[in-house]
Amino acid sequence: MSHLFDISGKVAVVTGGSRGIGLMIARGFVEAGAKTYISSRKADVCNAVAEELSGSGQCISIPADLGSEAGCRYLADEVAKREEQVHILVNNAGATWGAPIAEFPDDAFDKVMNLNVKGIFHLTRFLLPQLQKAATEADPARVINIGSVDGLQAPAMETYAYSSSKAAVHQLTRHLAHNLASRNIIVNAIAPGPFESKMMHETLQRFGDNIRATNPRKRIGEPDDMAGTAIFLSSKASAYITGVVIPVDGGVSTRHQ
């Protein structure tokens, strides 16, 4: 049965791959034998992480700012210079913003939506030629979008743009899945709950004990939880699954749907 979860030899691209959930996924891919490209806005950090992960396999850094169409085109072009085929695209790069409703700035919505939603759309369409070359009926190419449980339920914190963007990611996932299935490209989303990340750091510092206590599993997510889900969605085991949003949250979303 192990062949069902084998991704060795595949080419993967993970955006936001230098920290947090993206790093968890990238590390899992590298250790599972996939040639993994990571991208993030800060070149020095991205390069250092790729060098560190290369101790376990193949990891290449291509820094890029995916908050604009031009940035997405740049990353896709750089990948295309190196690879004719891309088997796995993980759209993880994202941003958040919190402010009281009366003070929430208009440009915060633009920043969050441009990166979290439009960035996914642009990068996916720009990499379609490489994804299609990798795709077969038996083993489709994969697009994995990182949503959030905050896109499934109303969060307590005033992160209006973030939760709206993640709900949009889930719908975009379903829409892309419907239209790309005939090209042997399957599109799914992961909706993480609480995990250790820079984005969650302040929240966990302030409310970590309560978050753990109220989670049905009584803990926050660990790197293997995220890497395992991403590897499943990238492997032959998931070849007949498309258009789904998988909460990886310890059961949080079971109480708030």
Side-chain angles (χ1 to χ4, degrees), residues 24-52:
M24 296 174 196
I25 293 172
R27 188 184 301 278
F29 283 175
V30 171
E31 292 179 355
K35 184 180 183 181
T36 305
Y37 290 86
I38 62 169
S39 184
S40 65
R41 188 169 52 85
K42 295 182 179 178
D44 55 341
V45 176
C46 195
N47 294 338
V49 169
E51 183 177 0
E52 188 256 316

PDB file of all heavy atoms in Angstrom, residues 24-52:
ATOM      1  N   MET A  24       6.133  23.587   6.842  1.00  0.00           N
ATOM      2  CA  MET A  24       5.747  22.229   7.245  1.00  0.00           C
ATOM      3  C   MET A  24       5.515  21.350   6.020  1.00  0.00           C
ATOM      4  O   MET A  24       5.957  20.197   5.966  1.00  0.00           O
ATOM      5  CB  MET A  24       4.475  22.270   8.098  1.00  0.00           C
ATOM      6  CG  MET A  24       4.609  22.994   9.418  1.00  0.00           C
ATOM      7  SD  MET A  24       2.994  23.117  10.267  1.00  0.00           S
ATOM      8  CE  MET A  24       3.356  24.396  11.486  1.00  0.00           C
ATOM      9  N   ILE A  25       4.806  21.899   5.042  1.00  0.00           N
ATOM     10  CA  ILE A  25       4.517  21.135   3.827  1.00  0.00           C
ATOM     11  C   ILE A  25       5.774  20.921   3.003  1.00  0.00           C
ATOM     12  O   ILE A  25       6.050  19.805   2.533  1.00  0.00           O
ATOM     13  CB  ILE A  25       3.437  21.857   3.000  1.00  0.00           C
ATOM     14  CG1 ILE A  25       2.101  21.834   3.756  1.00  0.00           C
ATOM     15  CG2 ILE A  25       3.282  21.217   1.616  1.00  0.00           C
ATOM     16  CD1 ILE A  25       1.019  22.684   3.123  1.00  0.00           C
ATOM     17  N   ALA A  26       6.565  21.977   2.829  1.00  0.00           N
ATOM     18  CA  ALA A  26       7.792  21.862   2.036  1.00  0.00           C
ATOM     19  C   ALA A  26       8.745  20.839   2.641  1.00  0.00           C
ATOM     20  O   ALA A  26       9.324  20.012   1.930  1.00  0.00           O
ATOM     21  CB  ALA A  26       8.474  23.224   1.920  1.00  0.00           C
ATOM     22  N   ARG A  27       8.897  20.871   3.942  1.00  0.00           N
ATOM     23  CA  ARG A  27       9.785  19.905   4.605  1.00  0.00           C
ATOM     24  C   ARG A  27       9.279  18.479   4.387  1.00  0.00           C
ATOM     25  O   ARG A  27      10.051  17.567   4.091  1.00  0.00           O
ATOM     26  CB  ARG A  27       9.890  20.209   6.096  1.00  0.00           C
ATOM     27  CG  ARG A  27      10.953  19.376   6.816  1.00  0.00           C
ATOM     28  CD  ARG A  27      10.956  19.651   8.317  1.00  0.00           C
ATOM     29  NE  ARG A  27      11.209  21.052   8.624  1.00  0.00           N
ATOM     30  CZ  ARG A  27      12.427  21.596   8.672  1.00  0.00           C
ATOM     31  NH1 ARG A  27      13.492  20.856   8.422  1.00  0.00           N
ATOM     32  NH2 ARG A  27      12.569  22.872   8.970  1.00  0.00           N
ATOM     33  N   GLY A  28       7.975  18.290   4.513  1.00  0.00           N
ATOM     34  CA  GLY A  28       7.408  16.966   4.284  1.00  0.00           C
ATOM     35  C   GLY A  28       7.638  16.483   2.864  1.00  0.00           C
ATOM     36  O   GLY A  28       7.992  15.324   2.635  1.00  0.00           O
ATOM     37  N   PHE A  29       7.466  17.378   1.890  1.00  0.00           N
ATOM     38  CA  PHE A  29       7.690  17.010   0.493  1.00  0.00           C
ATOM     39  C   PHE A  29       9.141  16.626   0.250  1.00  0.00           C
ATOM     40  O   PHE A  29       9.434  15.615  -0.411  1.00  0.00           O
ATOM     41  CB  PHE A  29       7.313  18.177  -0.424  1.00  0.00           C
ATOM     42  CG  PHE A  29       5.842  18.369  -0.653  1.00  0.00           C
ATOM     43  CD1 PHE A  29       5.379  19.461  -1.388  1.00  0.00           C
ATOM     44  CD2 PHE A  29       4.897  17.486  -0.151  1.00  0.00           C
ATOM     45  CE1 PHE A  29       4.033  19.652  -1.628  1.00  0.00           C
ATOM     46  CE2 PHE A  29       3.544  17.664  -0.369  1.00  0.00           C
ATOM     47  CZ  PHE A  29       3.114  18.749  -1.116  1.00  0.00           C
ATOM     48  N   VAL A  30      10.064  17.457   0.736  1.00  0.00           N
ATOM     49  CA  VAL A  30      11.490  17.192   0.522  1.00  0.00           C
ATOM     50  C   VAL A  30      11.871  15.845   1.124  1.00  0.00           C
ATOM     51  O   VAL A  30      12.540  15.019   0.492  1.00  0.00           O
ATOM     52  CB  VAL A  30      12.353  18.322   1.118  1.00  0.00           C
ATOM     53  CG1 VAL A  30      13.829  17.949   1.097  1.00  0.00           C
ATOM     54  CG2 VAL A  30      12.143  19.624   0.327  1.00  0.00           C
ATOM     55  N   GLU A  31      11.440  15.604   2.358  1.00  0.00           N
ATOM     56  CA  GLU A  31      11.780  14.350   3.033  1.00  0.00           C
ATOM     57  C   GLU A  31      11.110  13.148   2.367  1.00  0.00           C
ATOM     58  O   GLU A  31      11.603  12.024   2.485  1.00  0.00           O
ATOM     59  CB  GLU A  31      11.406  14.442   4.509  1.00  0.00           C
ATOM     60  CG  GLU A  31      12.272  15.446   5.276  1.00  0.00           C
ATOM     61  CD  GLU A  31      11.900  15.568   6.739  1.00  0.00           C
ATOM     62  OE1 GLU A  31      10.890  14.943   7.168  1.00  0.00           O
ATOM     63  OE2 GLU A  31      12.616  16.291   7.464  1.00  0.00           O
ATOM     64  N   ALA A  32      10.003  13.392   1.652  1.00  0.00           N
ATOM     65  CA  ALA A  32       9.314  12.302   0.936  1.00  0.00           C
ATOM     66  C   ALA A  32       9.879  12.091  -0.466  1.00  0.00           C
ATOM     67  O   ALA A  32       9.371  11.238  -1.202  1.00  0.00           O
ATOM     68  CB  ALA A  32       7.820  12.603   0.853  1.00  0.00           C
ATOM     69  N   GLY A  33      10.897  12.862  -0.851  1.00  0.00           N
ATOM     70  CA  GLY A  33      11.576  12.624  -2.119  1.00  0.00           C
ATOM     71  C   GLY A  33      11.118  13.470  -3.283  1.00  0.00           C
ATOM     72  O   GLY A  33      11.516  13.220  -4.427  1.00  0.00           O
ATOM     73  N   ALA A  34      10.287  14.495  -3.027  1.00  0.00           N
ATOM     74  CA  ALA A  34       9.857  15.392  -4.102  1.00  0.00           C
ATOM     75  C   ALA A  34      10.876  16.512  -4.276  1.00  0.00           C
ATOM     76  O   ALA A  34      11.426  17.027  -3.296  1.00  0.00           O
ATOM     77  CB  ALA A  34       8.484  15.977  -3.798  1.00  0.00           C
ATOM     78  N   LYS A  35      11.128  16.885  -5.521  1.00  0.00           N
ATOM     79  CA  LYS A  35      11.947  18.060  -5.818  1.00  0.00           C
ATOM     80  C   LYS A  35      11.074  19.280  -5.574  1.00  0.00           C
ATOM     81  O   LYS A  35      10.075  19.485  -6.264  1.00  0.00           O
ATOM     82  CB  LYS A  35      12.436  18.023  -7.260  1.00  0.00           C
ATOM     83  CG  LYS A  35      13.367  19.161  -7.641  1.00  0.00           C
ATOM     84  CD  LYS A  35      13.810  19.030  -9.092  1.00  0.00           C
ATOM     85  CE  LYS A  35      14.795  20.110  -9.491  1.00  0.00           C
ATOM     86  NZ  LYS A  35      15.188  19.977 -10.938  1.00  0.00           N
ATOM     87  N   THR A  36      11.441  20.086  -4.590  1.00  0.00           N
ATOM     88  CA  THR A  36      10.530  21.105  -4.085  1.00  0.00           C
ATOM     89  C   THR A  36      11.091  22.506  -4.264  1.00  0.00           C
ATOM     90  O   THR A  36      12.193  22.817  -3.794  1.00  0.00           O
ATOM     91  CB  THR A  36      10.231  20.850  -2.598  1.00  0.00           C
ATOM     92  OG1 THR A  36       9.726  19.508  -2.441  1.00  0.00           O
ATOM     93  CG2 THR A  36       9.205  21.845  -2.072  1.00  0.00           C
ATOM     94  N   TYR A  37      10.326  23.350  -4.936  1.00  0.00           N
ATOM     95  CA  TYR A  37      10.644  24.775  -5.063  1.00  0.00           C
ATOM     96  C   TYR A  37       9.848  25.531  -4.010  1.00  0.00           C
ATOM     97  O   TYR A  37       8.637  25.315  -3.862  1.00  0.00           O
ATOM     98  CB  TYR A  37      10.266  25.289  -6.451  1.00  0.00           C
ATOM     99  CG  TYR A  37      11.145  24.775  -7.556  1.00  0.00           C
ATOM    100  CD1 TYR A  37      10.881  23.549  -8.164  1.00  0.00           C
ATOM    101  CD2 TYR A  37      12.248  25.502  -7.997  1.00  0.00           C
ATOM    102  CE1 TYR A  37      11.692  23.059  -9.177  1.00  0.00           C
ATOM    103  CE2 TYR A  37      13.067  25.026  -9.011  1.00  0.00           C
ATOM    104  CZ  TYR A  37      12.781  23.812  -9.597  1.00  0.00           C
ATOM    105  OH  TYR A  37      13.598  23.335 -10.594  1.00  0.00           O
ATOM    106  N   ILE A  38      10.525  26.391  -3.272  1.00  0.00           N
ATOM    107  CA  ILE A  38       9.821  27.232  -2.313  1.00  0.00           C
ATOM    108  C   ILE A  38       9.974  28.686  -2.719  1.00  0.00           C
ATOM    109  O   ILE A  38      10.982  29.082  -3.315  1.00  0.00           O
ATOM    110  CB  ILE A  38      10.318  27.024  -0.865  1.00  0.00           C
ATOM    111  CG1 ILE A  38      11.798  27.393  -0.703  1.00  0.00           C
ATOM    112  CG2 ILE A  38      10.055  25.594  -0.410  1.00  0.00           C
ATOM    113  CD1 ILE A  38      12.251  27.446   0.759  1.00  0.00           C
ATOM    114  N   SER A  39       8.967  29.466  -2.400  1.00  0.00           N
ATOM    115  CA  SER A  39       8.995  30.887  -2.707  1.00  0.00           C
ATOM    116  C   SER A  39       8.459  31.665  -1.522  1.00  0.00           C
ATOM    117  O   SER A  39       7.532  31.223  -0.838  1.00  0.00           O
ATOM    118  CB  SER A  39       8.152  31.188  -3.947  1.00  0.00           C
ATOM    119  OG  SER A  39       8.249  32.544  -4.303  1.00  0.00           O
ATOM    120  N   SER A  40       9.066  32.813  -1.261  1.00  0.00           N
ATOM    121  CA  SER A  40       8.544  33.759  -0.297  1.00  0.00           C
ATOM    122  C   SER A  40       9.098  35.133  -0.640  1.00  0.00           C
ATOM    123  O   SER A  40      10.015  35.259  -1.456  1.00  0.00           O
ATOM    124  CB  SER A  40       8.900  33.366   1.139  1.00  0.00           C
ATOM    125  OG  SER A  40      10.289  33.419   1.351  1.00  0.00           O
ATOM    126  N   ARG A  41       8.555  36.148  -0.022  1.00  0.00           N
ATOM    127  CA  ARG A  41       8.911  37.514  -0.393  1.00  0.00           C
ATOM    128  C   ARG A  41      10.325  37.882   0.032  1.00  0.00           C
ATOM    129  O   ARG A  41      11.032  38.595  -0.672  1.00  0.00           O
ATOM    130  CB  ARG A  41       7.892  38.483   0.226  1.00  0.00           C
ATOM    131  CG  ARG A  41       8.002  39.912  -0.215  1.00  0.00           C
ATOM    132  CD  ARG A  41       6.789  40.708   0.251  1.00  0.00           C
ATOM    133  NE  ARG A  41       6.538  40.544   1.674  1.00  0.00           N
ATOM    134  CZ  ARG A  41       7.141  41.259   2.620  1.00  0.00           C
ATOM    135  NH1 ARG A  41       8.026  42.179   2.309  1.00  0.00           N
ATOM    136  NH2 ARG A  41       6.841  41.052   3.889  1.00  0.00           N
ATOM    137  N   LYS A  42      10.764  37.392   1.187  1.00  0.00           N
ATOM    138  CA  LYS A  42      12.080  37.741   1.720  1.00  0.00           C
ATOM    139  C   LYS A  42      13.134  36.767   1.187  1.00  0.00           C
ATOM    140  O   LYS A  42      13.179  35.605   1.573  1.00  0.00           O
ATOM    141  CB  LYS A  42      12.060  37.730   3.242  1.00  0.00           C
ATOM    142  CG  LYS A  42      11.148  38.802   3.827  1.00  0.00           C
ATOM    143  CD  LYS A  42      11.181  38.810   5.344  1.00  0.00           C
ATOM    144  CE  LYS A  42      10.291  39.906   5.902  1.00  0.00           C
ATOM    145  NZ  LYS A  42      10.278  39.911   7.395  1.00  0.00           N
ATOM    146  N   ALA A  43      13.978  37.267   0.293  1.00  0.00           N
ATOM    147  CA  ALA A  43      14.926  36.401  -0.412  1.00  0.00           C
ATOM    148  C   ALA A  43      15.906  35.735   0.532  1.00  0.00           C
ATOM    149  O   ALA A  43      16.219  34.550   0.394  1.00  0.00           O
ATOM    150  CB  ALA A  43      15.682  37.209  -1.466  1.00  0.00           C
ATOM    151  N   ASP A  44      16.430  36.481   1.519  1.00  0.00           N
ATOM    152  CA  ASP A  44      17.445  35.908   2.404  1.00  0.00           C
ATOM    153  C   ASP A  44      16.876  34.757   3.216  1.00  0.00           C
ATOM    154  O   ASP A  44      17.525  33.712   3.383  1.00  0.00           O
ATOM    155  CB  ASP A  44      18.043  36.987   3.323  1.00  0.00           C
ATOM    156  CG  ASP A  44      16.993  37.729   4.131  1.00  0.00           C
ATOM    157  OD1 ASP A  44      15.795  37.685   3.760  1.00  0.00           O
ATOM    158  OD2 ASP A  44      17.366  38.367   5.139  1.00  0.00           O
ATOM    159  N   VAL A  45      15.659  34.908   3.688  1.00  0.00           N
ATOM    160  CA  VAL A  45      15.019  33.848   4.470  1.00  0.00           C
ATOM    161  C   VAL A  45      14.716  32.648   3.584  1.00  0.00           C
ATOM    162  O   VAL A  45      14.979  31.494   3.948  1.00  0.00           O
ATOM    163  CB  VAL A  45      13.735  34.366   5.141  1.00  0.00           C
ATOM    164  CG1 VAL A  45      13.020  33.230   5.871  1.00  0.00           C
ATOM    165  CG2 VAL A  45      14.053  35.502   6.102  1.00  0.00           C
ATOM    166  N   CYS A  46      14.183  32.910   2.403  1.00  0.00           N
ATOM    167  CA  CYS A  46      13.831  31.833   1.473  1.00  0.00           C
ATOM    168  C   CYS A  46      15.066  31.028   1.085  1.00  0.00           C
ATOM    169  O   CYS A  46      15.044  29.789   1.080  1.00  0.00           O
ATOM    170  CB  CYS A  46      13.164  32.428   0.237  1.00  0.00           C
ATOM    171  SG  CYS A  46      12.294  31.243  -0.808  1.00  0.00           S
ATOM    172  N   ASN A  47      16.143  31.729   0.781  1.00  0.00           N
ATOM    173  CA  ASN A  47      17.383  31.050   0.399  1.00  0.00           C
ATOM    174  C   ASN A  47      17.937  30.209   1.543  1.00  0.00           C
ATOM    175  O   ASN A  47      18.410  29.080   1.334  1.00  0.00           O
ATOM    176  CB  ASN A  47      18.425  32.078  -0.043  1.00  0.00           C
ATOM    177  CG  ASN A  47      18.031  32.798  -1.325  1.00  0.00           C
ATOM    178  OD1 ASN A  47      17.228  32.297  -2.102  1.00  0.00           O
ATOM    179  ND2 ASN A  47      18.589  33.975  -1.540  1.00  0.00           N
ATOM    180  N   ALA A  48      17.892  30.753   2.765  1.00  0.00           N
ATOM    181  CA  ALA A  48      18.433  30.031   3.923  1.00  0.00           C
ATOM    182  C   ALA A  48      17.614  28.772   4.207  1.00  0.00           C
ATOM    183  O   ALA A  48      18.178  27.712   4.526  1.00  0.00           O
ATOM    184  CB  ALA A  48      18.447  30.945   5.145  1.00  0.00           C
ATOM    185  N   VAL A  49      16.307  28.868   4.103  1.00  0.00           N
ATOM    186  CA  VAL A  49      15.457  27.700   4.354  1.00  0.00           C
ATOM    187  C   VAL A  49      15.694  26.630   3.297  1.00  0.00           C
ATOM    188  O   VAL A  49      15.788  25.434   3.610  1.00  0.00           O
ATOM    189  CB  VAL A  49      13.979  28.114   4.403  1.00  0.00           C
ATOM    190  CG1 VAL A  49      13.073  26.886   4.403  1.00  0.00           C
ATOM    191  CG2 VAL A  49      13.703  28.963   5.638  1.00  0.00           C
ATOM    192  N   ALA A  50      15.808  27.041   2.030  1.00  0.00           N
ATOM    193  CA  ALA A  50      16.069  26.065   0.966  1.00  0.00           C
ATOM    194  C   ALA A  50      17.396  25.357   1.187  1.00  0.00           C
ATOM    195  O   ALA A  50      17.503  24.135   0.970  1.00  0.00           O
ATOM    196  CB  ALA A  50      16.053  26.760  -0.396  1.00  0.00           C
ATOM    197  N   GLU A  51      18.386  26.089   1.627  1.00  0.00           N
ATOM    198  CA  GLU A  51      19.688  25.475   1.903  1.00  0.00           C
ATOM    199  C   GLU A  51      19.577  24.462   3.035  1.00  0.00           C
ATOM    200  O   GLU A  51      20.139  23.363   2.969  1.00  0.00           O
ATOM    201  CB  GLU A  51      20.711  26.556   2.254  1.00  0.00           C
ATOM    202  CG  GLU A  51      22.110  26.009   2.491  1.00  0.00           C
ATOM    203  CD  GLU A  51      23.134  27.112   2.771  1.00  0.00           C
ATOM    204  OE1 GLU A  51      22.749  28.300   2.771  1.00  0.00           O
ATOM    205  OE2 GLU A  51      24.307  26.759   2.997  1.00  0.00           O
ATOM    206  N   GLU A  52      18.814  24.821   4.063  1.00  0.00           N
ATOM    207  CA  GLU A  52      18.648  23.907   5.200  1.00  0.00           C
ATOM    208  C   GLU A  52      17.885  22.646   4.791  1.00  0.00           C
ATOM    209  O   GLU A  52      18.273  21.524   5.128  1.00  0.00           O
ATOM    210  CB  GLU A  52      17.903  24.637   6.324  1.00  0.00           C
ATOM    211  CG  GLU A  52      17.847  23.849   7.633  1.00  0.00           C
ATOM    212  CD  GLU A  52      16.493  23.230   7.895  1.00  0.00           C
ATOM    213  OE1 GLU A  52      15.477  23.895   7.697  1.00  0.00           O
ATOM    214  OE2 GLU A  52      16.476  22.051   8.298  1.00  0.00           O
TER     215      GLU A  52
END
